[in-house]
Amino acid sequence: MAIHALIKRHRERAEQPVVSGRELLAGLGPEAVEVRARYLQVGGHLAATLVVTGYPAEVHPGWLQPLLTYPGRLDVALHIEPIPTTVAAASLRKQRARLESGRRTGFDKGKLDDPDTEAAAADAAELAYRIARGEGKLFHVGLYLTIHAGDEESLAEQVASVRAIAESLLITTAPATFRALPGWIATLPFGIDTLKVRRTFDTAALAACFPFTSPDLPAADQTPSDSPVLYGVNAASSSLLLWDRFAQDNYNSITLARSGAGKSYLTKLELLRQLFTGTEALVIDPEDEYLRLAEQVGGTVIRLGAPGVRLNPFDLPEGAHNSRDVLTRRALFLHTFLTVLLGAELASSERAVLDAAILTTYERAGITGDPRTWNRPAPLLGDLAVVLREHGAQGIGLADRLAPYITGSHAGLFDGPTTTPPRGHLVVFSLRQLPAEVVTAAMLLALDAIWRQVADAKQRRRRLVVVDEAWLLMRHGDGARFLFRMAKAARKYWAGLAVVTQDADDVLSSELGRAIVANAATQILLRQAPQAIDQVASAFHLSRGEQEFLLTAERGSALLLAGRHKAAFYAVASPSEHQVVTTDPAELAATCETSTTSPDVDALDPYDDTPTPALQDVR
């Protein structure tokens, strides 16, 4: 039976007609190809090929997208051939020698420097060093465009349209004159480069040319949150830039910009939208730029420096009874706070006297290492001065230096019990009324009050801590160290630290500042001053094109950096949002002249199921 079945199957196969390969290919291809000087007639339509001969100096990911999304019939072929490392190194060596020889010859003849030669020499040197370090490779790349149309007139229009798009991308194209057939074959899916009009690309440039790259930021590697925030419109693709800082490795951010570039506007816009996602926010506001926002969303404003408003630096954190080193940590913070308050580093002997006096002050208030005593009223700064005077000459000296903050002109700012704890979905610490001499110390004290609330295990929720004008704190070593520790530990408590500053030097010139930048998964750069652009470019590894963007960026335009990914965008706000977050004096004056009514508060309330609470202004 088995042999009979095999014979029958063989007979059935023999009866089937056999189709030759020529006939099969004839059915797949066109019936005829007519070759002309500039185009082909392939069957019933025409095809013309453009060869890319010139490329822009710098490109961004997905820069070929306008050609790939061309509405007509356009075939884009990218031919890539790797160059062996040894061949690439030898070729770059010869190229650098030719360029350097040309430069020296022109210099000997008294000619001016040729910008194109100088730029080519710099690029060749950079490529040579990158290949030597193994950071990239070189490739021969050929880019060809074949346009299809039904007649000669339509073909001419389509070719002109494609060349216009290419010129807008700084691409130089040339028609494949008398090479129409090889040009058409080069764009067929055969992988055969019949034209061989190629340029040398490095790995980074080739990656940007890859057809599947995009100028938009990719989705986070982690499980994405359901509450991304709209940052603005992507400047390259015109798509919406949605970003969720709480879906990154850490929730911190750093915002650097020159004065007037719109950094506070962008920060307030994100803050307002974070409130709608249920995030609590706590803000250090040295210039009263967040008061109108707090007013519209029913936030709490604590005006440090106003009569009767104080924060006691001796307060112990709430809900810390499970920790044994609470008193020790509080003593260490008091060392930092008093060093910043006094404005000078303390000697080792003075620190020893101060440490003993702090512990003695707590003991006299009945607070010891026993957690059962931590609910008792905390001592005051004046109590510490009394104890210091019992510790010899150095203690008396420290007490005298604290006198202005206890009995002198600054009395009442820090010497007294805390009047109002920071509570609410938005808490703004206003420092505008404080003297300039104590702003940094008050900022540190407000940050400590915020941190005690963030670290409270009984009130664990998503929070955003905004430190505006952070340069005030970064210029002091102890203040910078406190901010660095907060940046390192914020993620453990489901909190993000947003550092906003206009002085890049205070952040990037110190190791602590650079460490704070390194611990920010979200980095936002707005317009930079020419004097600071080199330092910013070195710290954030910016290309020349990105540097030019930051030097000429309009107000509200920014560059978002997230690891290896970068995206340029400009902030957009609805009229209601703009009215709340703007602090432009001209706009505010015009608003006061034309209308005395405020924006629709209910429309801006992040809690839709309750009426908008009134502003709690602690004075």
Side-chain angles (χ1 to χ4, degrees):
M1 292 293 295
I3 296 175
H4 178 71
L6 290 174
I7 295 174
K8 183 178 181 181
R9 187 178 304 173
H10 177 72
R11 289 177 178 176
E12 291 177 354
R13 290 180 179 177
E15 294 175 357
Q16 294 178 357
V18 178
V19 181
S20 65
R22 178 175 297 181
E23 294 179 359
L24 181 62
L25 292 177
L28 295 177
E31 61 273 15
V33 175
E34 183 178 348
V35 182
R36 300 185 183 181
R38 289 180 175 266
Y39 63 90
L40 293 175
Q41 183 172 354
V42 183
H45 70 279
L46 307 180
T49 301
L50 295 176
V51 180
V52 176
T53 58
Y55 297 84
E58 292 189 6
V59 294
H60 56 78
W63 68 287
L64 287 176
Q65 190 69 19
L67 289 175
L68 300 177
T69 58
Y70 181 71
R73 183 181 175 186
L74 174 65
D75 297 334
V76 181
L78 189 67
H79 293 267
I80 304 169
E81 179 183 349
I83 303 176
T85 304
T86 55
V87 176
S91 177
L92 282 174
R93 192 180 305 110
K94 294 180 181 179
Q95 180 69 7
R96 293 183 63 191
R98 284 195 297 266
L99 292 172
E100 185 64 24
S101 176
R103 292 170 60 188
R104 295 185 180 183
T105 302
F107 179 77
D108 293 339
K109 294 181 179 180
K111 295 182 180 180
L112 294 176
D113 294 339
D114 184 5
D116 294 335
T117 304
E118 296 290 334
D123 292 341
E126 182 182 359
L127 279 176
Y129 285 115
R130 292 180 61 184
I131 291 176
R133 291 192 299 264
E135 297 178 358
K137 294 184 178 181
L138 293 185
F139 302 85
H140 285 313
V141 177
L143 182 59
Y144 314 117
L145 314 172
T146 297
I147 304 99
H148 300 265
D151 51 55
E152 292 188 19
E153 184 178 356
S154 299
L155 181 63
E157 293 178 358
Q158 295 287 342
V159 170
S161 178
V162 171
R163 298 194 74 172
I165 295 176
E167 289 176 1
S168 69
L169 299 175
L170 302 181
I171 294 176
T172 303
T173 59
T177 306
F178 297 109
R179 302 188 67 186
L181 180 59
W184 176 60
I185 295 176
T187 56
L188 292 177
F190 297 153
I192 303 174
D193 186 1
T194 52
L195 292 176
K196 294 189 180 300
V197 180
R198 300 179 294 185
R199 289 285 295 273
T200 303
F201 278 43
D202 65 336
T203 305
L206 180 59
C209 297
F210 198 67
F212 301 105
T213 58
S214 170
D216 297 320
L217 290 174
D221 296 334
Q222 299 86 357
T223 302
S225 172
D226 57 352
S227 56
V229 170
L230 174 63
Y231 273 55
V233 176
N234 193 305
S237 64
S238 298
S239 61
L240 297 180
L241 180 63
L242 298 173
W243 188 251
D244 188 1
R245 65 167 64 233
F246 293 98
Q248 310 310 312
D249 294 336
N250 60 68
Y251 318 138
N252 303 331
S253 68
I254 179 75
T255 303
L256 292 179
R258 64 181 299 178
S259 179
K263 60 183 182 304
S264 296
Y265 185 95
L266 179 60
T267 303
K268 286 180 286 185
L269 194 59
E270 183 199 358
L271 179 60
L272 177 61
R273 291 166 178 170
Q274 288 283 359
L275 292 175
F276 280 89
T277 66
T279 303
E280 288 190 1
L282 303 103
V283 182
I284 306 295
D285 183 14
E287 298 295 337
D288 284 358
E289 294 186 280
Y290 296 78
L291 298 189
R292 297 180 66 249
L293 173 59
E295 178 182 356
Q296 298 303 325
V297 301
T300 301
V301 177
I302 301 178
R303 298 180 182 269
L304 295 180
V309 179
R310 291 182 303 274
L311 292 176
N312 185 11
F314 285 85
D315 285 342
L316 294 177
E318 299 179 3
H321 296 79
N322 295 328
S323 179
R324 298 181 179 181
D325 59 348
V326 171
L327 198 58
T328 303
R329 291 181 177 274
R330 201 64 201 160
L332 293 175
F333 168 74
L334 286 170
H335 278 279
T336 301
F337 170 72
L338 293 174
T339 300
V340 174
L341 183 65
L342 297 177
E345 290 288 340
L346 301 179
S348 57
S349 57
E350 291 177 326
R351 285 185 173 274
V353 170
L354 182 60
D355 186 69
I358 290 172
L359 296 178
T360 303
T361 303
Y362 274 113
E363 289 178 2
R364 291 186 181 181
I367 299 176
T368 62
D370 188 354
R372 293 175 295 180
T373 65
W374 294 348
N375 290 327
R376 296 175 180 175
L380 306 178
L381 194 61
D383 300 331
L384 176 63
V386 173
V387 176
L388 282 172
R389 295 189 179 278
E390 300 174 0
H391 284 73
Q394 289 185 330
I396 295 174
L398 290 174
D400 292 339
R401 294 167 65 180
L402 290 174
Y405 309 103
I406 300 173
T407 59
S409 57
H410 299 315
L413 296 179
F414 310 110
D415 185 24
T418 299
T419 55
T420 304
R423 294 288 186 269
H425 61 279
L426 173 61
V427 180
V428 177
F429 288 87
S430 172
L431 311 180
R432 183 71 176 271
Q433 301 184 30
L434 287 170
E437 295 78 8
V438 296
V439 167
T440 304
M443 181 182 290
L444 180 62
L445 193 57
L447 268 178
D448 172 71
I450 291 173
W451 182 247
R452 284 188 278 117
Q453 181 177 349
V454 168
D456 188 355
K458 296 181 179 179
Q459 301 182 13
R460 190 65 52 82
R461 57 181 60 92
R462 189 169 61 186
R463 291 185 174 94
L464 177 62
V465 180
V466 178
V467 183
D468 206 344
E469 304 297 344
W471 62 271
L472 293 170
L473 197 61
M474 293 295 298
R475 61 185 178 181
H476 293 274
D478 289 279
R481 279 188 285 272
F482 184 87
L483 199 63
F484 170 67
R485 290 194 296 268
M486 191 172 182
K488 292 281 286 185
R491 183 183 180 277
K492 301 176 182 178
Y493 301 98
W494 204 10
L497 176 64
V499 178
V500 184
T501 183
Q502 64 181 355
D503 199 337
D505 186 65
D506 285 333
V507 176
L508 301 177
S509 62
S510 64
E511 293 184 3
L512 287 174
R514 291 191 294 270
I516 292 175
V517 172
N519 280 275
T522 303
Q523 301 168 352
I524 302 175
L525 302 177
L526 290 92
R527 183 165 185 170
Q528 301 294 322
Q531 296 81 1
I533 189 63
D534 291 337
Q535 189 177 22
V536 173
S538 176
F540 293 94
H541 306 289
L542 303 180
S543 65
R544 287 196 299 270
E546 292 163 347
Q547 296 177 44
E548 292 297 329
F549 172 79
L550 294 180
L551 287 173
T552 59
E554 298 180 356
R555 179 180 298 181
S557 297
L559 185 66
L560 175 64
L561 312 177
R564 301 187 305 271
H565 308 293
K566 303 176 183 180
F569 71 97
Y570 54 91
V572 290
S574 66
S576 299
E577 289 175 324
H578 176 77
Q579 192 172 0
V580 171
V581 301
T582 184
T583 53
D584 190 339
E587 291 187 16
L588 296 180
T591 303
C592 293
E593 291 177 0
T594 56
S595 175
T596 58
T597 60
S598 61
D600 185 4
V601 176
D602 292 334
L604 296 172
D605 182 18
Y607 302 97
D608 298 332
D609 56 345
T610 59
T612 303
L615 173 68
Q616 303 176 29
D617 194 352
V618 183
R619 298 180 182 272

